[in-house]
Amino acid sequence: MQVIDLFNLQGTLFVMILAGVVLKRRGIIDEPGKKCLTDLCVSIIIPCNIIKSCLIAFDMSVLKACSVLLAVGILIQLLCVFLNRFLFNGYHEQQKKVLQYCTIVSNGGFLGNPIAEGVYGSLGLLYASVFLIPMRVVMWSAGTSYFVAGSTDPKKVIRNILTHPCLVAIYIGMFLMVTQIQLPVLLVSSIQNIGNCNSAITMFIIGTILADVNVKTIVNKTTLWFSVLRLILLPLIAFGLGLLFGLDPTATGVGVIMTGMPAGATAAIFAARYNSDAPFATKCVVLTTLLSMVTIPIWCYIIG
């Protein structure tokens, strides 16, 4: 993939975000409308997108070939969960939730897959899909718990997490991936078309949040520090693990690129949905996405 193609993919995010800004400032999307879009996104669009991502060819031979890469992905997620236990304890609770979520969740689903395919071909796309499995599981379990675990009733907290629409989608998607059950074409087409709305709707929502944020405050000490963690330190760890486990160059490259993706856009969605600091989450997403237009090509060059 040429550098210009990387810029085009990442620039697409900003075009859709700007569209959301315009829609909000012109009153086309008001506050009730933003809440409606957020609920729609979390309840059906994102779950369909998760299931769609699991509708790939995946048999035991593929599992064996990708097992080491999968193990690296699991280790990285476990490390991120561990770091979240103490790395952000000095921050306000609302910002802490956002930083914890953004640490374990990247925007690999939207940006990572096409970049992996563009750089490494169909094998890269397969590796990316496998590498994202641990992130998706942690994203909709531990990641979701950062936002919904506000209840004092542990049973209610666990029930809210385990029955979350996005985690239910993981159950369904993993079952379909492992069993390779062929769903009716009508159902697959419906899931894919609804899931395809994810990128645009998510970016629109971020734009509506950004419309109420002072752009001059996007770059600050906290967002810059987090950008270094998300875009440099974490992929550096992935690179080291790839070398340690003896991964081939393609698998190592995919692991580094997917780990070095910007903060997941769903951070702003969940922050808005569960009354956290949505403007701060938007700043993290926007700044890391902007800076990744520089760091991702550099990582691609380093990996070779």
Coordinates of all heavy atoms in Angstrom, one line a residue, residues 71-160:
A71 N -1.8 -15.8 20.3 CA -1.2 -15.8 21.6 C -0.6 -14.4 21.9 O -0.8 -13.9 23.0 CB -0.2 -16.9 21.7
V72 N 0.0 -13.8 20.9 CA 0.6 -12.5 21.1 C -0.5 -11.5 21.3 O -0.4 -10.6 22.2 CB 1.4 -12.1 19.8 CG1 1.9 -10.6 19.9 CG2 2.7 -13.0 19.7
G73 N -1.6 -11.6 20.5 CA -2.7 -10.7 20.7 C -3.3 -10.8 22.1 O -3.6 -9.8 22.7
I74 N -3.4 -12.0 22.6 CA -3.9 -12.2 24.0 C -3.0 -11.6 25.0 O -3.4 -10.9 26.0 CB -4.1 -13.7 24.3 CG1 -5.2 -14.3 23.4 CG2 -4.4 -14.0 25.8 CD1 -5.3 -15.8 23.5
L75 N -1.7 -11.8 24.9 CA -0.7 -11.2 25.8 C -0.8 -9.7 25.8 O -0.7 -9.1 26.9 CB 0.7 -11.7 25.4 CG 1.1 -13.1 25.8 CD1 2.5 -13.4 25.2 CD2 1.0 -13.4 27.3
I76 N -0.9 -9.1 24.7 CA -1.0 -7.6 24.6 C -2.2 -7.1 25.3 O -2.2 -6.2 26.1 CB -1.0 -7.2 23.1 CG1 0.4 -7.4 22.5 CG2 -1.4 -5.7 23.0 CD1 0.5 -7.1 21.1
Q77 N -3.4 -7.8 25.1 CA -4.6 -7.4 25.8 C -4.5 -7.6 27.3 O -4.9 -6.7 28.1 CB -5.8 -8.2 25.3 CG -6.2 -7.8 23.9 CD -6.5 -6.4 23.7 OE1 -7.3 -5.8 24.5 NE2 -5.9 -5.7 22.7
L78 N -3.9 -8.7 27.8 CA -3.7 -8.9 29.2 C -2.8 -7.8 29.8 O -3.0 -7.3 30.9 CB -3.1 -10.3 29.4 CG -4.0 -11.5 29.2 CD1 -3.2 -12.8 29.4 CD2 -5.2 -11.5 30.1
L79 N -1.7 -7.5 29.0 CA -0.8 -6.4 29.5 C -1.6 -5.1 29.6 O -1.4 -4.4 30.6 CB 0.3 -6.3 28.5 CG 1.3 -5.1 28.8 CD1 2.0 -5.3 30.1 CD2 2.3 -5.0 27.6
C80 N -2.4 -4.8 28.6 CA -3.2 -3.5 28.7 C -4.1 -3.5 29.9 O -4.2 -2.5 30.5 CB -4.0 -3.3 27.4 SG -2.9 -3.0 25.9
V81 N -4.8 -4.6 30.1 CA -5.7 -4.7 31.3 C -4.9 -4.5 32.6 O -5.3 -3.8 33.5 CB -6.4 -6.0 31.3 CG1 -7.2 -6.2 32.6 CG2 -7.4 -6.1 30.1
F82 N -3.7 -5.1 32.6 CA -2.9 -5.0 33.8 C -2.4 -3.5 34.0 O -2.5 -3.0 35.1 CB -1.6 -5.9 33.7 CG -0.6 -5.6 34.7 CD1 -0.8 -6.1 36.0 CD2 0.6 -5.0 34.4 CE1 0.1 -5.8 37.0 CE2 1.5 -4.8 35.4 CZ 1.3 -5.2 36.7
L83 N -2.0 -2.9 32.9 CA -1.6 -1.5 33.0 C -2.7 -0.6 33.4 O -2.5 0.4 34.2 CB -1.0 -1.0 31.6 CG 0.3 -1.6 31.1 CD1 0.6 -1.1 29.7 CD2 1.4 -1.2 32.1
N84 N -3.9 -0.9 33.0 CA -5.1 -0.1 33.4 C -5.4 -0.1 34.9 O -6.1 0.8 35.4 CB -6.3 -0.6 32.6 CG -6.4 0.0 31.2 OD1 -5.7 0.9 30.9 ND2 -7.2 -0.7 30.4
R85 N -4.8 -1.0 35.6 CA -5.1 -1.1 37.0 C -4.4 0.0 37.8 O -4.8 0.3 38.9 CB -4.7 -2.5 37.6 CG -5.5 -3.7 37.0 CD -5.0 -5.0 37.5 NE -5.2 -5.1 39.0 CZ -6.4 -5.5 39.5 NH1 -7.3 -5.9 38.8 NH2 -6.5 -5.6 40.8
F86 N -3.3 0.5 37.2 CA -2.6 1.6 38.0 C -2.1 2.8 37.1 O -1.8 3.8 37.7 CB -1.3 0.9 38.6 CG -0.3 0.4 37.7 CD1 0.7 1.2 37.1 CD2 -0.4 -0.9 37.3 CE1 1.6 0.7 36.2 CE2 0.6 -1.5 36.4 CZ 1.5 -0.7 35.9
L87 N -2.1 2.6 35.8 CA -1.5 3.7 35.0 C -2.3 5.0 35.0 O -1.7 6.0 34.9 CB -1.5 3.1 33.5 CG -0.5 3.8 32.6 CD1 1.0 3.7 33.1 CD2 -0.5 3.2 31.2
F88 N -3.6 4.9 35.2 CA -4.4 6.1 35.1 C -5.1 6.5 36.5 O -6.1 7.2 36.5 CB -5.5 6.0 34.0 CG -4.9 5.6 32.7 CD1 -5.2 4.4 32.1 CD2 -4.1 6.5 32.0 CE1 -4.7 4.0 30.9 CE2 -3.5 6.1 30.8 CZ -3.8 4.9 30.2
N89 N -4.6 6.0 37.6 CA -5.2 6.2 38.9 C -5.2 7.6 39.3 O -6.0 8.1 40.1 CB -4.5 5.3 39.9 CG -4.9 3.8 39.8 OD1 -5.9 3.5 39.1 ND2 -4.0 3.0 40.3
G90 N -4.3 8.4 38.7 CA -4.2 9.8 39.1 C -5.2 10.8 38.4 O -5.2 12.0 38.7
Y91 N -6.0 10.2 37.5 CA -6.9 11.0 36.7 C -8.3 11.0 37.3 O -8.7 10.1 38.0 CB -6.9 10.5 35.2 CG -5.7 10.7 34.5 CD1 -4.6 9.7 34.5 CD2 -5.4 11.8 33.8 CE1 -3.5 9.9 33.8 CE2 -4.2 12.0 33.1 CZ -3.3 11.1 33.1 OH -2.1 11.3 32.5
H92 N -9.1 12.0 36.9 CA -10.5 12.0 37.3 C -11.2 10.8 36.8 O -10.9 10.3 35.7 CB -11.2 13.3 36.7 CG -12.6 13.5 37.2 ND1 -13.7 12.9 36.6 CD2 -13.1 14.3 38.2 CE1 -14.7 13.3 37.2 NE2 -14.4 14.1 38.2
E93 N -12.2 10.3 37.6 CA -12.8 9.0 37.3 C -13.4 9.0 35.9 O -13.3 7.9 35.2 CB -13.9 8.8 38.3 CG -14.6 7.4 38.2 CD -13.7 6.3 38.5 OE1 -12.7 6.5 39.2 OE2 -13.9 5.1 38.0
Q94 N -14.0 10.0 35.4 CA -14.6 10.0 34.1 C -13.6 9.9 33.0 O -13.8 9.3 32.0 CB -15.5 11.3 33.9 CG -16.6 11.5 34.9 CD -17.5 10.3 34.9 OE1 -18.0 9.8 33.8 NE2 -17.9 9.8 36.1
Q95 N -12.4 10.6 33.2 CA -11.3 10.5 32.2 C -10.6 9.2 32.3 O -10.2 8.6 31.3 CB -10.4 11.7 32.4 CG -10.9 13.0 32.0 CD -9.8 14.1 32.0 OE1 -8.7 13.9 32.4 NE2 -10.2 15.3 31.4
K96 N -10.5 8.7 33.5 CA -9.9 7.4 33.8 C -10.6 6.3 33.0 O -9.9 5.4 32.3 CB -9.9 7.0 35.2 CG -9.3 5.7 35.6 CD -9.4 5.4 37.1 CE -8.9 4.0 37.4 NZ -9.0 3.8 38.9
K97 N -11.9 6.3 33.0 CA -12.7 5.3 32.2 C -12.3 5.3 30.7 O -12.1 4.3 30.1 CB -14.2 5.5 32.4 CG -14.7 5.3 33.8 CD -16.2 5.6 33.9 CE -16.7 5.4 35.3 NZ -18.2 5.8 35.3
V98 N -12.3 6.5 30.2 CA -12.0 6.7 28.8 C -10.6 6.2 28.5 O -10.3 5.5 27.5 CB -12.1 8.2 28.4 CG1 -11.6 8.5 27.0 CG2 -13.6 8.7 28.5
L99 N -9.6 6.6 29.3 CA -8.2 6.2 29.0 C -8.0 4.7 29.1 O -7.3 4.1 28.3 CB -7.3 7.0 30.0 CG -7.1 8.5 29.8 CD1 -6.4 9.1 31.0 CD2 -6.4 8.8 28.5
Q100 N -8.7 4.1 30.1 CA -8.6 2.7 30.2 C -9.2 2.0 29.0 O -8.6 1.0 28.4 CB -9.3 2.2 31.5 CG -8.7 2.6 32.8 CD -9.5 2.2 34.0 OE1 -10.7 2.3 34.0 NE2 -8.8 1.7 35.0
Y101 N -10.3 2.5 28.5 CA -11.0 1.9 27.4 C -10.1 2.0 26.1 O -9.9 1.1 25.3 CB -12.4 2.5 27.2 CG -13.1 1.9 26.0 CD1 -13.9 0.7 26.2 CD2 -13.1 2.4 24.8 CE1 -14.6 0.1 25.2 CE2 -13.8 1.8 23.7 CZ -14.6 0.7 24.0 OH -15.3 0.1 22.9
C102 N -9.6 3.3 25.9 CA -8.8 3.6 24.7 C -7.5 2.8 24.7 O -6.9 2.6 23.6 CB -8.5 5.1 24.6 SG -10.0 6.0 24.2
T103 N -7.0 2.4 25.9 CA -5.8 1.6 25.9 C -6.0 0.2 25.4 O -5.1 -0.3 24.7 CB -5.2 1.5 27.4 OG1 -4.9 2.9 27.8 CG2 -4.0 0.7 27.5
I104 N -7.1 -0.4 25.7 CA -7.3 -1.8 25.2 C -8.0 -1.8 23.8 O -8.0 -2.9 23.2 CB -8.1 -2.6 26.2 CG1 -9.5 -2.0 26.4 CG2 -7.4 -2.7 27.6 CD1 -10.5 -2.9 27.2
V105 N -8.6 -0.7 23.4 CA -9.4 -0.7 22.2 C -8.8 0.2 21.2 O -8.7 1.4 21.4 CB -10.9 -0.4 22.4 CG1 -11.6 -0.4 21.1 CG2 -11.5 -1.3 23.4
S106 N -8.4 -0.3 20.0 CA -7.9 0.5 18.9 C -9.0 0.6 17.8 O -10.0 0.0 17.9 CB -6.6 -0.1 18.3 OG -7.0 -1.3 17.5
N107 N -8.7 1.4 16.8 CA -9.6 1.5 15.7 C -9.3 0.5 14.6 O -9.5 0.8 13.4 CB -9.6 2.9 15.1 CG -10.9 3.3 14.5 OD1 -11.9 2.6 14.6 ND2 -11.0 4.5 13.8
G108 N -8.7 -0.6 15.0 CA -8.2 -1.6 14.0 C -9.3 -2.2 13.1 O -9.0 -2.5 11.9
G109 N -10.5 -2.3 13.6 CA -11.6 -2.8 12.8 C -11.9 -2.0 11.5 O -12.1 -2.6 10.4
F110 N -11.8 -0.7 11.6 CA -12.1 0.2 10.5 C -10.8 0.5 9.6 O -10.8 0.3 8.4 CB -12.7 1.5 10.9 CG -12.9 2.5 9.8 CD1 -13.7 2.2 8.7 CD2 -12.2 3.7 9.7 CE1 -13.9 3.1 7.7 CE2 -12.4 4.6 8.7 CZ -13.3 4.3 7.7
L111 N -9.7 0.9 10.3 CA -8.5 1.2 9.6 C -7.6 0.0 9.4 O -6.9 -0.1 8.4 CB -7.7 2.3 10.4 CG -8.2 3.8 10.2 CD1 -7.3 4.7 11.1 CD2 -8.0 4.2 8.7
G112 N -7.5 -0.8 10.4 CA -6.5 -1.9 10.4 C -6.7 -2.9 9.3 O -5.7 -3.3 8.7
N113 N -7.9 -3.4 9.1 CA -8.1 -4.4 8.1 C -7.7 -4.0 6.7 O -7.0 -4.7 6.0 CB -9.5 -4.9 8.2 CG -9.8 -5.9 9.3 OD1 -8.9 -6.4 9.9 ND2 -11.1 -6.1 9.7
P114 N -8.2 -2.9 6.2 CA -7.8 -2.5 4.9 C -6.3 -2.2 4.7 O -5.7 -2.4 3.7 CB -8.6 -1.2 4.6 CG -9.1 -0.7 5.9 CD -9.2 -1.9 6.8
I115 N -5.7 -1.6 5.8 CA -4.2 -1.4 5.8 C -3.5 -2.7 5.7 O -2.5 -2.9 4.9 CB -3.8 -0.5 6.9 CG1 -4.4 0.9 6.8 CG2 -2.3 -0.5 7.1 CD1 -4.0 1.8 7.9
A116 N -3.9 -3.6 6.6 CA -3.2 -4.9 6.6 C -3.3 -5.6 5.2 O -2.4 -6.2 4.7 CB -3.8 -5.8 7.7
E117 N -4.5 -5.5 4.6 CA -4.7 -6.2 3.3 C -3.9 -5.4 2.3 O -3.3 -6.1 1.4 CB -6.2 -6.2 3.0 CG -6.5 -6.9 1.7 CD -8.0 -6.9 1.4 OE1 -8.7 -6.1 1.9 OE2 -8.4 -7.8 0.5
G118 N -3.9 -4.1 2.3 CA -3.1 -3.3 1.3 C -1.6 -3.6 1.4 O -1.0 -3.6 0.4
V119 N -1.1 -3.8 2.6 CA 0.3 -3.9 2.8 C 0.7 -5.4 2.5 O 1.8 -5.7 1.9 CB 0.8 -3.5 4.2 CG1 2.3 -3.8 4.4 CG2 0.5 -2.0 4.3
Y120 N 0.0 -6.3 3.1 CA 0.4 -7.7 3.0 C -0.6 -8.7 2.2 O -0.3 -9.9 2.2 CB 0.5 -8.3 4.5 CG 1.5 -7.5 5.3 CD1 1.1 -6.7 6.3 CD2 2.8 -7.7 5.1 CE1 2.0 -6.0 7.1 CE2 3.8 -7.1 5.9 CZ 3.4 -6.2 6.9 OH 4.3 -5.6 7.6
G121 N -1.6 -8.1 1.6 CA -2.5 -8.9 0.8 C -3.5 -9.7 1.6 O -3.7 -9.4 2.8
S122 N -4.0 -10.8 1.0 CA -5.1 -11.6 1.7 C -4.6 -12.2 3.0 O -5.3 -12.4 3.9 CB -5.6 -12.6 0.7 OG -4.6 -13.5 0.3
L123 N -3.3 -12.6 3.0 CA -2.7 -13.2 4.2 C -2.7 -12.2 5.3 O -3.0 -12.5 6.5 CB -1.3 -13.7 4.0 CG -0.6 -14.4 5.1 CD1 -1.4 -15.6 5.6 CD2 0.8 -14.8 4.8
G124 N -2.4 -11.0 5.0 CA -2.4 -9.9 6.0 C -3.8 -9.7 6.6 O -4.0 -9.5 7.8
L125 N -4.8 -9.7 5.7 CA -6.2 -9.6 6.2 C -6.6 -10.7 7.1 O -7.3 -10.5 8.1 CB -7.1 -9.5 5.0 CG -8.6 -9.3 5.3 CD1 -8.9 -8.0 6.1 CD2 -9.5 -9.3 4.0
L126 N -6.2 -11.9 6.8 CA -6.5 -13.1 7.7 C -5.8 -12.9 9.0 O -6.5 -13.1 10.1 CB -6.1 -14.4 7.0 CG -6.2 -15.6 7.9 CD1 -7.6 -15.9 8.2 CD2 -5.6 -16.8 7.1
Y127 N -4.6 -12.6 9.0 CA -3.8 -12.4 10.3 C -4.5 -11.2 11.1 O -4.6 -11.3 12.3 CB -2.4 -12.0 10.0 CG -1.5 -13.2 9.6 CD1 -0.3 -13.0 9.0 CD2 -1.8 -14.4 10.0 CE1 0.6 -14.0 8.7 CE2 -1.0 -15.5 9.7 CZ 0.2 -15.3 9.0 OH 1.0 -16.4 8.8
A128 N -4.9 -10.2 10.4 CA -5.5 -9.0 11.1 C -6.8 -9.5 11.8 O -7.1 -9.1 13.0 CB -5.8 -7.9 10.2
S129 N -7.6 -10.3 11.1 CA -8.9 -10.8 11.7 C -8.6 -11.6 12.9 O -9.4 -11.5 13.9 CB -9.6 -11.6 10.6 OG -10.0 -10.8 9.5
V130 N -7.6 -12.5 12.8 CA -7.3 -13.3 14.0 C -6.7 -12.5 15.1 O -7.1 -12.7 16.3 CB -6.2 -14.4 13.6 CG1 -5.7 -15.2 14.8 CG2 -6.9 -15.4 12.6
F131 N -5.9 -11.6 14.8 CA -5.2 -10.7 15.9 C -6.3 -9.9 16.6 O -6.1 -9.6 17.8 CB -4.2 -9.8 15.2 CG -3.4 -9.1 16.2 CD1 -2.3 -9.7 16.8 CD2 -3.6 -7.8 16.6 CE1 -1.5 -9.0 17.8 CE2 -2.9 -7.1 17.5 CZ -1.8 -7.7 18.1
L132 N -7.4 -9.5 15.9 CA -8.4 -8.7 16.5 C -9.3 -9.5 17.5 O -10.1 -8.9 18.3 CB -9.2 -8.0 15.5 CG -8.7 -6.8 14.8 CD1 -9.6 -6.3 13.7 CD2 -8.4 -5.7 15.8
I133 N -9.3 -10.8 17.4 CA -10.2 -11.6 18.2 C -10.1 -11.3 19.7 O -11.0 -11.0 20.4 CB -10.1 -13.1 18.0 CG1 -10.5 -13.4 16.5 CG2 -10.8 -13.9 19.0 CD1 -10.3 -14.8 16.1
P134 N -8.8 -11.3 20.3 CA -8.7 -11.0 21.7 C -9.1 -9.6 22.1 O -9.8 -9.4 23.1 CB -7.2 -11.2 22.0 CG -6.7 -12.1 20.9 CD -7.5 -11.8 19.7
M135 N -8.8 -8.7 21.2 CA -9.3 -7.3 21.4 C -10.8 -7.2 21.5 O -11.3 -6.5 22.3 CB -8.7 -6.3 20.4 CG -8.9 -4.9 20.7 SD -8.7 -3.7 19.3 CE -10.3 -3.9 18.5
R136 N -11.4 -7.8 20.6 CA -12.9 -7.8 20.5 C -13.5 -8.4 21.8 O -14.5 -7.8 22.4 CB -13.5 -8.5 19.3 CG -13.1 -7.8 18.0 CD -13.8 -8.4 16.8 NE -13.4 -7.9 15.6 CZ -13.7 -6.7 15.0 NH1 -14.5 -5.9 15.7 NH2 -13.3 -6.3 13.9
V137 N -13.0 -9.5 22.3 CA -13.5 -10.1 23.5 C -13.2 -9.2 24.7 O -14.2 -9.0 25.5 CB -12.8 -11.5 23.7 CG1 -13.2 -12.1 25.0 CG2 -13.1 -12.4 22.6
V138 N -12.0 -8.7 24.8 CA -11.7 -7.8 26.0 C -12.5 -6.5 25.9 O -13.0 -5.9 26.8 CB -10.2 -7.5 26.0 CG1 -9.9 -6.5 27.1 CG2 -9.4 -8.8 26.3
M139 N -12.6 -6.0 24.6 CA -13.3 -4.8 24.4 C -14.8 -4.8 24.9 O -15.2 -3.8 25.5 CB -13.3 -4.5 22.8 CG -14.2 -3.4 22.4 SD -14.1 -3.4 20.5 CE -15.1 -1.9 20.2
W140 N -15.4 -5.9 24.6 CA -16.9 -6.0 25.0 C -17.1 -6.7 26.4 O -18.2 -7.0 26.8 CB -17.7 -6.7 23.9 CG -17.5 -6.0 22.6 CD1 -17.0 -6.5 21.5 CD2 -17.9 -4.7 22.3 NE1 -17.0 -5.6 20.5 CE2 -17.6 -4.5 20.9 CE3 -18.5 -3.6 23.0 CZ2 -17.8 -3.3 20.3 CZ3 -18.7 -2.4 22.4 CH2 -18.4 -2.3 21.0
S141 N -16.0 -7.0 27.1 CA -16.1 -7.5 28.4 C -15.5 -6.5 29.4 O -16.2 -5.7 30.0 CB -15.5 -8.9 28.5 OG -14.1 -8.9 28.0
A142 N -14.1 -6.6 29.6 CA -13.5 -5.6 30.5 C -13.6 -4.2 30.0 O -13.9 -3.3 30.8 CB -12.0 -6.0 30.5
G143 N -13.6 -4.0 28.7 CA -13.7 -2.6 28.2 C -15.1 -2.0 28.5 O -15.2 -0.9 29.0
T144 N -16.1 -2.8 28.3 CA -17.5 -2.4 28.6 C -17.7 -2.1 30.0 O -18.4 -1.2 30.5 CB -18.5 -3.4 28.1 OG1 -18.3 -3.7 26.7 CG2 -19.9 -2.9 28.2
S145 N -17.0 -3.0 30.9 CA -17.2 -2.9 32.3 C -16.7 -1.5 32.9 O -17.2 -1.1 33.9 CB -16.5 -4.0 33.0 OG -15.0 -3.8 33.0
Y146 N -15.7 -0.9 32.2 CA -15.2 0.4 32.6 C -16.3 1.4 32.7 O -16.4 2.3 33.5 CB -14.1 0.9 31.7 CG -12.8 0.1 31.8 CD1 -12.2 -0.3 30.6 CD2 -12.3 -0.4 33.0 CE1 -11.0 -1.0 30.6 CE2 -11.2 -1.2 33.0 CZ -10.5 -1.5 31.8 OH -9.4 -2.3 31.8
F147 N -17.3 1.3 31.8 CA -18.4 2.3 31.7 C -19.6 1.8 32.4 O -20.4 2.7 32.9 CB -18.7 2.5 30.2 CG -17.6 3.3 29.4 CD1 -16.8 2.6 28.6 CD2 -17.5 4.6 29.6 CE1 -15.8 3.2 27.9 CE2 -16.5 5.3 28.9 CZ -15.6 4.6 28.0
V148 N -20.0 0.5 32.4 CA -21.3 0.1 32.9 C -21.2 -0.4 34.3 O -22.2 -0.8 34.9 CB -21.9 -1.0 32.0 CG1 -22.1 -0.4 30.6 CG2 -21.1 -2.2 32.0
A149 N -20.0 -0.5 34.9 CA -19.8 -1.1 36.3 C -20.1 0.0 37.4 O -19.4 -0.1 38.4 CB -18.4 -1.7 36.4
G150 N -21.0 0.9 37.2 CA -21.3 1.9 38.2 C -22.2 1.5 39.3 O -22.4 2.2 40.3
S151 N -22.8 0.3 39.1 CA -23.8 -0.2 40.1 C -23.0 -0.7 41.3 O -21.9 -1.3 41.2 CB -24.7 -1.2 39.5 OG -25.4 -1.9 40.5
T152 N -23.6 -0.6 42.5 CA -23.0 -1.2 43.7 C -23.4 -2.7 43.8 O -22.9 -3.4 44.7 CB -23.5 -0.4 44.9 OG1 -25.0 -0.4 45.0 CG2 -23.0 1.0 44.9
D153 N -24.3 -3.2 43.0 CA -24.7 -4.6 43.0 C -23.9 -5.4 42.1 O -24.1 -5.3 40.8 CB -26.2 -4.7 42.6 CG -26.7 -6.1 42.7 OD1 -25.9 -7.0 43.0 OD2 -27.9 -6.3 42.5
P154 N -23.0 -6.2 42.6 CA -22.1 -7.0 41.7 C -22.8 -7.8 40.7 O -22.4 -8.0 39.5 CB -21.2 -7.8 42.7 CG -21.3 -7.1 44.0 CD -22.7 -6.4 44.0
K155 N -23.9 -8.5 41.1 CA -24.7 -9.3 40.2 C -25.3 -8.5 39.1 O -25.3 -9.0 37.9 CB -25.8 -10.0 41.0 CG -25.3 -11.0 42.1 CD -26.5 -11.7 42.7 CE -26.0 -12.7 43.7 NZ -27.1 -13.4 44.4
K156 N -25.7 -7.3 39.4 CA -26.3 -6.5 38.3 C -25.2 -6.1 37.3 O -25.4 -6.0 36.1 CB -27.0 -5.3 38.9 CG -27.7 -4.4 37.9 CD -28.4 -3.2 38.5 CE -29.2 -2.4 37.5 NZ -29.9 -1.3 38.1
V157 N -24.0 -5.8 37.9 CA -22.9 -5.4 37.0 C -22.5 -6.5 36.1 O -22.4 -6.3 34.9 CB -21.7 -5.0 37.9 CG1 -20.4 -4.8 37.0 CG2 -21.9 -3.8 38.7
I158 N -22.4 -7.7 36.6 CA -22.1 -8.9 35.8 C -23.1 -9.1 34.8 O -22.8 -9.4 33.6 CB -21.8 -10.1 36.7 CG1 -20.6 -9.9 37.6 CG2 -21.6 -11.4 35.8 CD1 -20.4 -11.0 38.6
R159 N -24.4 -9.0 35.2 CA -25.5 -9.3 34.2 C -25.5 -8.2 33.1 O -25.7 -8.6 31.9 CB -26.8 -9.2 35.0 CG -28.0 -9.6 34.1 CD -29.3 -9.8 34.9 NE -29.7 -8.6 35.6 CZ -29.6 -8.4 36.9 NH1 -29.1 -9.4 37.6 NH2 -30.0 -7.3 37.5
N160 N -25.2 -6.9 33.5 CA -25.2 -5.9 32.5 C -24.1 -6.1 31.4 O -24.2 -5.9 30.2 CB -25.0 -4.5 33.1 CG -26.3 -4.1 33.8 OD1 -27.4 -4.5 33.6 ND2 -26.1 -3.1 34.8

